[in-house]
Amino acid sequence: VTFTCPAGHASQSGDYCDLCGRKMTAPAVADPSAPEPSAADTSGTTDQALSGWPDTLAPEVAAGGEPCPLCGSPRPGTDRYCEACGHDFVAEAAGASDPPASSTPAGDPIVPSRWEATVFADRAHYDRVGTKDTPFPMHCPERQFVIEDRQVRIGRRSASRGVYPEIDLSGAPVDTAISHLQAVLIRQPGGTYDLIDPGSMNGTTLNEDAAPIPVDKPVPVNDGDQIHIGAWTTITVHACSRSAHGKPATQQTDEPVEGETAV
Amino acid sequence: MTTFRVDVSQNEYLPGGGTDVNAIVTVEAGGGSPTVAPEAAEIVIIDVSGSMGYPRRSKIEAARDATIKAIECIREGVWFAVIAGTDQAREVYPGGGQLVRAGAESRAKAARAVSRLDADGGTAIGAWLRLANQLCTGQKAAISHAILLTDGQDEDESPAQLDAIVEICEGNFQCDCRGVGTDWEVSELRRISSRLLGTVDILPTPADIPGDFQALMQQAMSKGTADVALRLWTPRGAEVELVKQVAPVIEDLSGKRVPHDELTGDYPTGAWGNETRDYHVCIEVSPGELGEEMLAGRVGLVVGGVAEQQQGLIRAIWTDDVELSTRISPEVAHYTGQEELADAVQEGIEARQAGDESTATQRLGRAVQLAAESGNEATLQLLEQVVDIEDLDTGTVRLKSHIEEVDEMALDTRSTKSAPIRKPAS
């Protein structure tokens, strides 16, 4: 038996979604001034009959469902997003890049702007770096990511290090000069983003600057800015005026390549 | 068979935009019996370096006596061995790279071998641990435990060498460390005992060794369930800020996390008897809408690699009702205070040793205030040996003009012992 949570994830637990933690049924506390009986009791509850360790049933879920057109992972039930790469099945079915309004969770705020990132193989950046250790990729399709979380990490997924960046560049062709955790975009009060390099191996440069941005120091990014990382990867950030629903469409095609190449 | 019960105490209400969810997780183990315990191995490691012979052979004699008493406490059939440590490690009994089952004959032979031990040589704690590790991994008993006694600091190995050996031992056996006298290093033994899921304590005089060894061995014998870990699930996007054992002793487990899958991690807690331990868990979640409820964490136990079904739930509900969101869980408040108390003591001692008397006075004063507030009488008594208290409530203290080293070390080693929460009078 699987349950579907308000965000559309398939869950083996019936009490709370075992992916995002949302409560499964009924409005939780619609009126906070009149809390339900258990609310007065600050010592929490246990023994949820419907609960279970998420992993115990995982293989059943993984078994069914259409394959994701991007990464090939089976779609868990009627889950809206691919669990492996975040691909939006609903938007694809509707044939639009914008998710249909009906699928917008109730109360989803319309924010004035959101940000997008376009990742591409940048010959000019490659030539500036001037490395011979990493070849420039023969073919590299542009990758698009939505930037809307409070914190958006840029890097290459590594299970062994426990790094799962939102902008995951571990798919082929892979730029191994990108650190597993290369940089982080942090949302600012005005809806803009600051860029931080937490100490990547090869540094992060912005626009035409030859010198990498200082480690651990937030640098504001503007519409149209180009973030150069690794041996040949450039990320262009755009501010776009649109509603905030949707989900970062991360891409990954291959297993991540461990290790980093110095350039 | 041992059964575990997990309970969560928290205030699940967060103000709008709130992200930090704090909870105290109480784990109670009951119904276990040592008679049906899995195979166990016990190793006694005693320091026989030259300094153990001074003054007047008192320490080596007490250590021999203590080891024999500890062996007497080992349950029939449990595997055991005795290691003597100097600048190298030597198998005192039974030898041959093996352990032996406890019985009348093996105990008597071990006692004879131990009584012949003499003090001579250096101190290489890493070498002692390496030998204990070899013996334990060779035996593969479900529960492996060691008691380590020293009177000095590691002289023959660098801290990095010692750390590397401790890392190899991690997960293979648990180790309680004891320092006799005042010539050993608290931080050194604490690093070992922390990583090997044991305790550290000071034995001020040689006469304290036998009683402590007996108590340690009896406690080890009461552990009937091997290889227990705390399992914590958190939702996608959440960060585990802290997992800390807060009772009976404060021990940060955050760095011990072993990933189980993308959202779940295990924190090893070693072997359990019938006992209760409390954990402070802090999880940072993405803020939800007002009125929204989410699960910030699921906590359960994994015993010998098998997950127990019963779980505790750590919840988050966002509300604009200030009365709900500002309520403080008494359990979280109490143990947060105990954590701060332990930190204040250790920072105070560090500052005093560095010659910074004003910071030392301020931190130890805060410790006095926290110990008094929370009813931690044991720590308060230890603090009184180091500072003169002018005002308990405001934490106004003066450093004593002369502080005995043994008092300061006792305060340092025992600062992590938390007071149990006082249940409201009913």
Side-chain angles (χ1 to χ4, degrees), chain B residues 37-45 75 78-81 99 129 131-147 169-176 195-198 216-217 220-221 223-228 269-272:
Chain B
E39 288 234 304
E42 283 294 333
I43 297 185
V44 182
I45 307 168
R75 210 171 44 235
V78 167
W79 297 98
F80 80 99
L99 292 96
L129 292 171
L131 178 57
N133 186 53
Q134 279 165 10
L135 296 176
C136 286
T137 49
Q139 193 59 50
K140 293 192 178 64
I143 299 178
S144 299
H145 171 254
I147 301 173
C169 299
E170 226 174 326
N172 293 339
F173 65 97
Q174 292 180 246
C175 187
D176 288 313
R195 296 190 65 171
L196 302 185
L197 306 177
L216 274 179
M217 194 57 86
M221 289 298 113
K223 310 277 182 192
T225 308
D227 188 20
V228 179
T269 64
W272 284 59

Side-chain angles (χ1 to χ4, degrees), chain A residues 9 11 13-24 27-30 32-36 38-48 50-56 81-84 86 106-109 150-151 153 159-160 162 164 166 247, chain B residues 5-13 19 231-237 239 259-264 284-287 289-296 298-301 307-313 315 317-321 324 327-331:
Chain A
H9 304 124
S11 168
S13 318
D15 49 356
Y16 297 90
C17 173
D18 58 29
L19 187 67
C20 70
R22 281 186 181 82
K23 194 166 170 62
M24 284 306 227
V29 185
S33 62
E36 38 189 317
S38 69
D41 178 15
T42 50
S43 61
T45 52
T46 49
D47 277 334
Q48 300 287 323
L50 292 171
S51 72
W53 286 106
D55 56 87
T56 49
Y81 301 108
C82 172
E83 243 179 76
D108 198 359
R150 210 155 38 96
Q151 172 184 303
R153 291 165 294 182
S160 62
Y164 299 93
E166 284 74 23
K247 167 117 182 169
Chain B
R5 165 139 200 108
V6 181
D7 282 296
V8 173
S9 308
Q10 66 165 146
N11 175 17
E12 58 273 47
Y13 290 97
T19 56
R231 175 162 290 179
L232 175 62
W233 171 93
T234 48
R236 183 175 281 182
E239 294 266 358
H260 174 73
D261 60 35
E262 194 191 334
L263 302 175
T264 311
E284 190 191 323
V285 295
S286 321
E289 302 292 319
L290 287 178
E292 195 181 316
E293 170 170 352
M294 81 180 279
L295 190 64
R298 260 182 217 287
V299 190
L301 291 150
E308 299 267 307
Q309 275 306 308
Q310 199 257 329
Q311 300 165 356
L313 303 183
R315 300 184 299 152
I317 304 171
W318 285 270
T319 178
D320 56 5
D321 183 332
L324 285 177
R327 204 180 277 171
I328 294 168
S329 150
E331 290 82 3

Side-chain angles (χ1 to χ4, degrees), chain A residues 216-242:
Chain A
D216 272 341
K217 254 189 104 176
V219 179
V221 290
N222 301 307
D223 186 15
D225 273 358
Q226 294 204 316
I227 302 166
H228 309 290
I229 56 177
W232 47 258
T233 304
T234 291
I235 303 171
T236 314
V237 294
H238 310 281
C240 357
S241 299
R242 257 196 274 170

Side-chain angles (χ1 to χ4, degrees), chain A residues 171-195:
Chain A
V174 61
D175 183 343
T176 54
I178 299 173
S179 292
H180 290 288
L181 183 60
Q182 172 75 36
V184 187
L185 289 160
I186 313 256
R187 193 169 63 210
Q188 301 303 305
T192 60
Y193 278 86
D194 278 2
L195 178 70

Side-chain angles (χ1 to χ4, degrees), chain A residues 67-89:
Chain A
C68 168
L70 287 184
C71 71
S73 305
R75 178 179 180 178
T78 55
D79 206 340
R80 176 169 171 181
Y81 301 108
C82 172
E83 243 179 76
C85 73
H87 170 69
D88 190 335
F89 289 101

